[in-house]
Amino acid sequence: PATGARRSERHGRDLASTKGAVRTQSSCSNTDMCVPAMTTPEAFAAIALAAVACDGKLGRDEAHALRCQLEYRSLYNDSSEAAMGELFDRLLQLLREQGVQGLITSALPQLNQNQQQSALAVAAHLVHADHKITAEETDLLDQLTRQMTMPDNDARMVVEAIAALNRDMLDS
């Protein structure tokens, strides 16, 4: 528990200090070297990272929420601190090279329909982590709902349910 908290805090700081992506391109560089397909854990984390980075700002609250969302999932709970650091290093590099859309385009085909549904729910939850929903974050969630292999209406219901869960009842 204490180690996990330290690990979350450290990775939260590392992620919070990273800037957003600068451009979008295909998964192949100008030298025709293609990026290998992502693993399922990389793809799931990539969708979550895209959600917190889509507005060009990766705040401490969002980075911490990202780490917490992944830390206890079965895909990651046996990963060492070093392995998680390497995972995020790879994903952040891809984010810088391909942009948010490139990251999503690389990730979605690696996830089955249930994994996509969970990734969408996590992304929607992370968008609400700082309690400020930007136009970029709304656009990202709309884009994800359109790109998922699940029925569009089902994807929208996931996003709406997460929004309702995070809504402050005192808001008018």
Side-chain angles (χ1 to χ4, degrees):
T3 303
R6 281 194 304 273
R7 184 170 61 196
S8 293
E9 183 179 310
R10 184 182 76 92
H11 284 293
R13 276 197 310 270
D14 291 348
L15 289 172
S17 67
T18 304
K19 299 290 183 202
V22 292
R23 62 187 166 102
T24 301
Q25 65 183 34
S26 69
S27 60
C28 295
S29 71
N30 292 339
T31 60
D32 292 329
M33 289 180 53
C34 292
V35 176
M38 290 183 184
T39 64
T40 299
E42 287 172 331
F44 193 89
I47 299 298
L49 178 60
V52 297
C54 70
D55 61 359
K57 303 172 197 159
L58 189 53
R60 184 177 299 257
D61 290 344
E62 290 174 314
H64 180 71
L66 168 60
R67 182 67 182 137
C68 289
Q69 281 296 312
L70 298 181
E71 191 167 55
Y72 297 107
R73 293 186 180 276
S74 61
L75 289 174
Y76 311 99
N77 62 7
D78 290 333
S79 298
S80 69
E81 189 173 327
M84 289 303 290
E86 289 172 12
L87 170 71
F88 281 115
D89 287 346
R90 281 191 306 275
L91 293 177
L92 290 166
Q93 181 64 35
L94 286 173
L95 179 64
R96 284 188 288 272
E97 292 172 357
Q98 300 179 4
V100 170
Q101 183 54 49
L103 196 61
I104 292 168
T105 300
S106 297
L108 280 178
Q110 307 310 315
L111 301 174
N112 66 36
Q113 196 171 33
N114 285 337
Q115 292 165 337
Q116 286 185 12
Q117 184 180 38
S118 294
L120 177 61
V122 167
H125 180 71
L126 290 169
V127 161
H128 291 273
D130 62 359
H131 307 288
K132 300 171 196 149
I133 312 304
T134 66
E136 294 91 351
E137 291 168 330
T138 300
D139 289 345
L140 174 92
L141 292 176
D142 289 344
Q143 183 180 53
L144 277 173
T145 60
R146 287 190 305 273
Q147 289 182 272
M148 296 279 166
T149 58
M150 59 198 290
D152 192 47
N153 193 43
D154 290 356
R156 290 197 190 289
M157 288 184 355
V158 168
V159 172
E160 288 174 14
I162 299 300
L165 180 67
N166 285 282
R167 191 176 304 126
D168 186 345
M169 294 307 296
L170 299 176
D171 290 346
S172 45

